[in-house]
Every structure is written in structure tokens, then in C-alpha cells.
Amino acid sequence: MPKKQTIHILGAGALGSLWAAKLSKSNEVILILRNPTHKTHNYQFIEQELTTDVSLPCESATSTNNLIDVLLVFTKSYDTLLALSQIEHRLSPSSKIILFQNGMGCQQTLIKTLPHHRIYAASTTEGANSPTKGTIIYAGKGETWLGDISKEKPECTIETEHLTALLSSSTLDVFSTKDIWQRLWLKLAINCAINPFTALLNCKNGEIREHQLFKSSITPLSQELSSAIQLNKIELSAEDIQTKVEEVLEKTANNISSMLQDVRAGKPTEIDFMNGYIQTIANEHTIPFPVNAELLKRMKTQFNN
Ligand code: PAF
């Protein structure tokens, strides 16, 4: 029997646990946790009507075990730099690091912090949530796009293809792309136009469509997002953003967004890496984006983060 590929997963939130459960069927998956209390991490994984008990080996971030070959990073954007610096002694230039973070900013910081490492980004629309501790629900089938972000000029290398095949062994739909930045910016726009509304209005994704706050903001907000993204040399029209947001709202109507999940769990939100990142672009270029600025202000006031 060929030896199974070892995959380390950093961050065992809902999405990390979904990938861990799916990849562990045909790979050796090891979770890296901040303070593991046991040798294994156990949870129930619910997919449609089927519940499976998952039990995976785990290590602490400071463990001095072997070098890591493939690392999937699911930590929150604001935790990622610290989490990766804690395991830097286990990374070599041949380690493959795949970032799954929402929002924008942490990818650029990591490329600068780890200039000799292979860094990939994944943009995923898979949905998972954790209604109670120890239970992970696979909430909605999506797709995942993978690309190399450590190269100046984007290209689809053999390595990207290998990693795509490895992630596909999860049975989730995974595709390689050389235009990963385009996808990351589009995902950022979608997150900026959905997540803060779900948090402020405390409702499911689909329900924001009935609220005046969303109805009056979405067109001017899409225009601001398009302008901010074009300042970063990515072509994405306001119409395309709005159409995509409507599509995602329809597909994920019953989902609780990651931001609302954070608010309900009493965790900080990723607002600084979403609408906060758009505000940074506004500041750099001294261009006002008033609808985005107002959303950001309301998030900061209401949730104090
Ligand atoms: O952050 C999220 O929850 C998701 O990216 C999205 C697309 C808003 C759907 O819930």
C-alpha cells in the first residue's frame, strides 16, 4: 500500500474541521492546536442526515516534531501571523502552506514575512458551522480554487496541480487557477457586502435582502468596492459584484455567515480584514468610500472590535 500523505491543519474551527474530516479518509491528517488537552481531537461531523465520529491526532503549536510538508491554515485572519510564527521552526522552503483566510491583508503580510516559502491561497465557498462545541455541520456544498501567491507572476505550476489533486482527495470540488488574486478580491467584495449586514441585523444571509439597510446600501457599496478593487489593478465592475452578491445570497440563504457566527460566539470579527481593508485603500488614496465607512463604524460601535 502506498504511504499516505501527511497533511497538517492549523485551526480547528468549523471550516478546518470540515476539511480535516474529509481529507482524513485518504490521508494522514494531524491537527495543530493552541493548547491540546488530549492526544486526539474528537468531534461529530454531520453531513446531511449522516453523523460520523471523527478522531484525529493533534499536536501543540510549540511541538518540536518533524518538519511539515503540507500545511492548511484555517485560523482567523487576525490570528494567522502569530499562529504561523509559532510553528515557523517546523517549516522549510519546501513546505507548502495553503491559506484559507477570509478577507484581505493577511496574505500580503505572510508573503513578506516568509519570503522563501511556497505560499498558496485557497478561495472557498464551502459552508460549515458549529452549533455546539464538538459538533460540525457541513452546511452547504461549494467549490474551492487554489493558486500560488508566492510568485511575482502568477502561474499554474506542477506543484499547484499536485496540491489541487491532494485537496481533491477530500471529495470536495477543488480547481487550480493562475488568477487566484482575482478570486480573492471577488470573495473580499462578497464578504464586505454580506457579512457586516448579517452581523448588524443578526440574521441569516438570505434575510438581509428584506432589510432597508441592505436595500439602500448594496448599489453604492458595490460601486465603492469596485473602485477600491480597481485601485489594486483588478478589473471587477460594480454590476458584477452586485450580481455575484445576489447569487451568493440566494445559494447561502439559510447560512449563518462566518461574521455572525463570530459575534454569537463572543469572538472578534474579521471586519478589519474586510471592510477595514477597503477603508485602508480609501485612506491611502484619499478617496472617500462613505457607505463602507459607515458600515465599518457601525460594526466597531456595536461590537467594539
Ligand atoms: O464568510 C462567510 O460566511 C461566507 O464567505 C459567505 C460567502 C458570506 C457566505 O456565508
Side-chain angles (χ1 to χ4, degrees), residues 15 76 102-103 124-128 187 190-196 198 204-205 248-249 251-261 270 274:
L15 210 53
K76 290 284 171 193
N102 260 335
T124 185
T125 52
E126 296 289 357
K187 178 91 193 289
I190 294 168
N191 283 140
C192 289
I194 296 180
N195 294 31
T198 61
K204 289 181 175 173
N205 290 358
V248 173
L249 285 176
K251 262 199 196 148
T252 65
N254 273 319
N255 288 13
I256 308 287
S257 78
S258 56
M259 193 170 278
L260 182 54
Q261 287 183 47
E270 294 180 300
M274 296 177 182

XYZ file of all heavy atoms in Angstrom, residues 15 76 102-103 124-128 187 190-196 198 204-205 248-249 251-261 270 274, ligand 1:
268
model
N -14.643 25.358 9.444
C -14.140 25.033 8.103
C -12.930 24.088 8.168
O -12.828 23.131 7.389
C -13.783 26.339 7.372
C -13.931 26.341 5.876
C -15.306 25.883 5.419
C -13.628 27.731 5.316
N -8.330 32.341 12.119
C -8.932 33.638 11.773
C -7.831 34.543 11.236
O -6.662 34.442 11.665
C -9.554 34.255 13.032
C -10.778 33.508 13.506
C -11.969 33.837 12.629
C -13.144 32.960 12.912
N -14.189 33.063 11.883
N -10.422 34.303 5.152
C -11.361 35.260 4.576
C -10.678 36.616 4.520
O -9.763 36.880 5.286
C -12.558 35.416 5.525
C -13.759 34.613 5.074
O -13.916 34.315 3.891
N -14.625 34.284 6.014
N -11.156 37.471 3.651
C -10.690 38.853 3.664
C -9.334 39.036 3.011
O -8.807 38.138 2.339
N -12.670 29.573 -1.022
C -13.660 28.501 -0.962
C -15.062 29.025 -0.673
O -15.222 30.010 0.044
C -13.262 27.431 0.093
O -14.191 26.349 0.038
C -13.223 27.985 1.503
N -16.044 28.358 -1.235
C -17.435 28.692 -0.912
C -18.087 27.537 -0.138
O -19.297 27.495 -0.004
C -18.263 28.993 -2.191
O -18.097 27.893 -3.101
C -17.829 30.268 -2.863
N -17.258 26.599 0.347
C -17.804 25.531 1.186
C -18.354 26.165 2.465
O -17.783 27.126 2.977
C -16.716 24.514 1.577
C -16.119 23.738 0.426
C -17.087 22.720 -0.186
O -18.206 22.562 0.316
O -16.704 22.095 -1.186
N -19.433 25.630 2.992
C -20.022 26.196 4.207
C -20.058 25.172 5.335
O -20.427 24.011 5.132
N -19.616 25.592 6.518
C -19.687 24.710 7.690
C -19.974 25.562 8.914
O -19.622 26.739 8.940
C -18.372 23.971 7.885
N -14.012 37.510 -3.629
C -14.501 36.973 -2.342
C -14.522 38.088 -1.293
O -15.452 38.183 -0.486
C -13.595 35.816 -1.912
C -13.932 35.163 -0.578
C -14.888 34.005 -0.736
C -15.502 33.493 0.556
N -14.638 32.801 1.448
N -17.568 40.145 -1.852
C -18.773 39.428 -1.399
C -18.868 39.482 0.128
O -19.921 39.773 0.695
C -18.752 37.966 -1.921
C -18.871 37.951 -3.441
C -19.865 37.132 -1.279
C -18.580 36.605 -4.089
N -17.747 39.228 0.784
C -17.748 39.276 2.257
C -18.103 40.676 2.772
O -18.873 40.804 3.725
C -16.372 38.867 2.813
C -16.153 37.365 2.766
O -15.070 36.895 2.453
N -17.175 36.591 3.063
N -17.538 41.719 2.119
C -17.815 43.102 2.574
C -19.290 43.445 2.395
O -19.840 44.266 3.129
C -17.002 44.115 1.764
S -15.255 44.090 2.134
N -19.928 42.838 1.388
C -21.315 43.192 1.067
C -22.334 42.266 1.731
O -23.527 42.475 1.569
C -21.503 43.172 -0.451
N -21.876 41.250 2.432
C -22.822 40.353 3.116
C -22.567 40.322 4.635
O -23.469 40.567 5.439
C -22.744 38.911 2.548
C -23.171 38.879 1.075
C -23.604 37.951 3.380
C -23.132 37.509 0.414
N -21.321 40.033 5.007
C -21.045 39.722 6.418
C -21.440 40.809 7.406
O -22.110 40.509 8.397
C -19.572 39.327 6.585
C -19.244 38.031 5.880
O -19.845 37.714 4.862
N -18.323 37.268 6.393
N -21.073 42.104 7.190
C -21.446 43.092 8.215
C -22.958 43.242 8.362
O -23.453 43.440 9.466
C -20.803 44.398 7.729
C -20.345 44.161 6.362
C -20.241 42.693 6.128
N -25.222 40.857 8.016
C -25.742 39.723 8.803
C -25.452 39.936 10.288
O -26.262 39.592 11.137
C -25.116 38.382 8.361
O -23.701 38.446 8.562
C -25.419 38.045 6.928
N -29.884 35.460 9.177
C -29.291 34.565 8.170
C -28.957 35.362 6.909
O -29.596 36.403 6.657
C -30.282 33.465 7.814
C -30.478 32.469 8.928
C -31.448 31.404 8.480
C -31.551 30.337 9.550
N -32.601 29.371 9.245
N -28.051 34.815 6.101
C -27.624 35.538 4.889
C -28.814 36.017 4.051
O -28.907 37.186 3.701
C -26.750 34.635 4.010
C -25.393 34.359 4.627
O -25.085 34.874 5.699
N -24.593 33.541 3.976
N -24.857 34.701 -4.375
C -24.378 34.052 -3.145
C -25.471 34.093 -2.076
O -25.687 33.116 -1.359
C -23.065 34.717 -2.645
C -22.660 34.168 -1.282
C -21.940 34.492 -3.636
N -26.205 35.213 -1.999
C -27.284 35.309 -1.001
C -28.357 34.258 -1.260
O -28.903 33.667 -0.336
C -27.900 36.710 -1.015
C -27.036 37.790 -0.360
C -27.690 39.156 -0.504
C -26.788 37.476 1.105
N -27.901 31.340 -2.881
C -27.347 29.999 -2.624
C -27.159 29.719 -1.146
O -27.254 28.583 -0.698
C -25.965 29.884 -3.297
C -26.002 29.209 -4.626
C -24.608 28.721 -4.972
C -24.526 28.408 -6.433
N -23.220 28.656 -6.998
N -26.816 30.769 -0.372
C -26.482 30.546 1.046
C -27.550 31.162 1.955
O -27.269 31.518 3.105
C -25.099 31.159 1.399
O -25.199 32.603 1.256
C -23.989 30.662 0.519
N -28.786 31.279 1.412
C -29.855 31.994 2.133
C -30.032 31.506 3.569
O -30.284 32.306 4.468
C -31.163 31.865 1.357
N -29.847 30.222 3.801
C -30.090 29.685 5.146
C -28.857 29.643 6.028
O -28.918 29.169 7.154
C -30.656 28.265 5.033
C -32.155 28.334 4.890
O -32.795 29.149 5.569
N -32.691 27.531 4.005
N -27.717 30.130 5.503
C -26.457 30.046 6.275
C -26.321 31.192 7.264
O -26.797 32.302 7.015
C -25.238 30.123 5.351
C -25.048 28.876 4.528
O -25.940 28.036 4.462
N -23.901 28.776 3.884
N -25.623 30.905 8.344
C -25.210 31.949 9.286
C -23.799 32.331 8.849
O -22.912 31.469 8.818
C -25.152 31.398 10.736
C -26.454 30.699 11.120
C -24.785 32.487 11.737
C -27.620 31.593 11.378
N -23.587 33.583 8.486
C -22.269 33.978 7.962
C -21.187 33.761 9.015
O -21.474 33.709 10.214
C -22.279 35.445 7.556
O -22.166 36.258 8.711
N -19.944 33.692 8.551
C -18.831 33.495 9.493
C -18.781 34.653 10.494
O -18.446 34.453 11.662
C -17.513 33.384 8.725
O -17.324 34.527 7.912
N -19.149 35.869 10.040
C -19.073 37.020 10.949
C -20.144 36.942 12.041
O -19.872 37.214 13.213
C -19.210 38.320 10.149
C -18.837 39.542 10.940
S -18.720 41.000 9.915
C -17.090 40.861 9.224
N -21.328 36.536 11.648
C -22.384 36.397 12.662
C -22.052 35.234 13.605
O -22.304 35.314 14.813
C -23.758 36.208 11.994
C -24.958 36.101 12.947
C -25.029 37.287 13.917
C -26.265 36.006 12.156
N -21.438 34.175 13.065
C -21.008 33.066 13.949
C -20.012 33.589 14.988
O -20.087 33.254 16.163
C -20.344 31.948 13.134
C -21.307 31.130 12.299
C -20.590 29.984 11.575
O -19.806 29.251 12.154
N -20.866 29.825 10.295
N -13.770 39.469 11.735
C -12.686 39.730 10.777
C -12.926 41.038 10.013
O -12.416 41.218 8.917
C -12.560 38.544 9.812
C -12.113 37.273 10.515
C -11.974 36.077 9.588
O -12.986 35.694 8.976
O -10.881 35.530 9.478
N -11.821 42.916 6.124
C -12.859 43.028 5.088
C -13.108 44.521 4.839
O -12.309 45.183 4.195
C -14.115 42.275 5.519
C -13.847 40.785 5.635
S -15.286 39.870 6.232
C -14.605 38.231 6.290
O -17.994 34.474 5.415
C -18.966 33.782 5.047
O -19.811 33.372 5.820
C -19.065 33.387 3.579
O -17.875 33.736 2.962
C -20.261 33.982 2.822
C -19.987 33.925 1.354
C -20.594 35.374 3.240
C -21.462 33.087 2.982
O -21.916 32.908 4.258
